Amino acid sequence: MLLYLREGDDVFTDENGIERHVNGVEFNIARSCVEEDQYELDVLSPPDGSWLIDVGAHVGGVSVSAAVTYPLLNVLALEALQENADLLQANAALNGVSDRMHVLVGALGTDEVVYGYESAVEHNFIANHGPSISWKGALATRFVPRYTIENLIWLLDADVCMVKIDCEGGEWDGFVGAERVPLIVGEWHPWHGAEGRTREDFAALLPSHDVTFDPLGLVEGPGGFTARLRLAE
């Protein structure tokens, strides 16, 4: 699988021995999605014609990888920043999966995102929701359509086999309808200075699921999680 990434100050050598200058954060995100399988795509067994919803799709590390790996899987990619969505569509075309990729510009649980960071410029195209990572000093605000899991499933009107979510704080207000999803994998984020945003509070958002947390993640967050729909007794 190939991905277009933005140029940056970090250098890596590709498989042909050519040095390339890329945004290091974007490169590491793509590598964690594709090489390290951060979101457990390898264990997915999607029914033919079902959908994966990728919330916080960025430039397609999960969306494109899933579509390439599972030729009968469809993907709905939700991304807050148009610049990222454009790159994602280019990456889908580069890998021949545009026909099974629907890219939607918007955010989960909010209609306001911030981006562009004074003290962390390599994160400039990572959209944050609320005060989840406010210490980075966001320089710009953008208003986008707001969605919940329920809205996204309604748009598809089809079976959803998995939701991957990594949207920098939007997860707190977007889980309406999650009881219709058998598997949710992603990352949860604390809101700095806000009470009721602990790991236990997060698990309580998914009463229909058994939620486990990545033991390597910080107890106070952020950290990885997996939520599996509890079977009816």
Side-chain angles (χ1 to χ4, degrees):
M1 190 184 85
L2 300 173
L3 289 177
Y4 295 119
L5 300 175
R6 294 181 180 86
E7 291 187 0
D9 296 329
D10 291 290
V11 180
F12 84 100
T13 303
D14 68 14
E15 59 187 10
N16 297 314
I18 299 173
E19 287 191 348
R20 300 192 180 276
H21 294 257
V22 299
N23 179 303
V25 168
E26 293 190 357
F27 176 74
N28 287 328
I29 290 173
R31 183 169 57 185
S32 68
C33 293
V34 178
E35 295 181 8
E36 300 172 11
D37 193 28
Q38 179 181 357
Y39 301 106
E40 304 182 25
L41 295 180
D42 280 352
V43 300
L44 190 63
S45 299
D48 293 354
S50 63
W51 287 79
L52 179 149
I53 298 177
D54 183 3
V55 178
H58 196 234
V59 300
V62 168
S63 296
V64 176
S65 179
V68 169
T69 302
Y70 301 105
L72 297 178
L73 177 69
N74 302 297
V75 179
L76 171 62
L78 181 67
E79 170 53 41
L81 298 182
Q82 183 68 58
E83 297 89 337
N84 290 342
D86 292 343
L87 262 179
L88 197 163
Q89 289 176 317
N91 284 327
L94 180 65
N95 289 275
V97 296
S98 294
D99 59 324
R100 291 182 288 115
M101 183 79 59
H102 181 69
V103 181
L104 190 62
V105 175
L108 194 76
T110 184
D111 60 0
E112 181 179 355
V113 297
V114 297
Y115 66 102
Y117 305 101
E118 190 171 40
S119 58
V121 294
E122 70 277 10
H123 290 79
N124 273 349
F125 289 94
I126 305 293
N128 287 279
H129 305 63
S132 59
I133 311 186
S134 58
W135 54 267
K136 285 182 179 175
L139 301 177
T141 299
R142 188 171 296 181
F143 292 92
V144 296
R146 176 188 182 275
Y147 293 95
T148 64
I149 298 298
E150 185 174 56
N151 299 147
L152 298 174
I153 294 175
W154 181 84
L155 286 173
L156 296 176
D157 191 24
D159 290 334
V160 174
C161 62
M162 174 181 169
V163 170
K164 165 262 168 181
I165 178 168
D166 190 351
C167 57
E168 311 299 325
E171 64 272 10
W172 289 98
D173 298 308
F175 275 139
V176 176
E179 68 277 0
R180 298 178 59 186
V181 182
L183 177 64
I184 305 172
V185 179
E187 189 171 278
W188 76 279
H189 304 80
W191 278 21
H192 297 291
E195 295 188 9
R197 304 288 180 176
T198 67
R199 192 160 67 172
E200 291 72 22
D201 295 321
F202 178 78
L205 296 175
L206 295 164
S208 56
H209 290 69
D210 291 318
V211 182
T212 57
F213 294 94
D214 183 346
L216 299 179
L218 299 174
V219 172
E220 66 274 19
F225 77 92
T226 299
R228 300 184 186 278
L229 187 64
R230 195 174 297 113
L231 297 178
E233 297 182 356

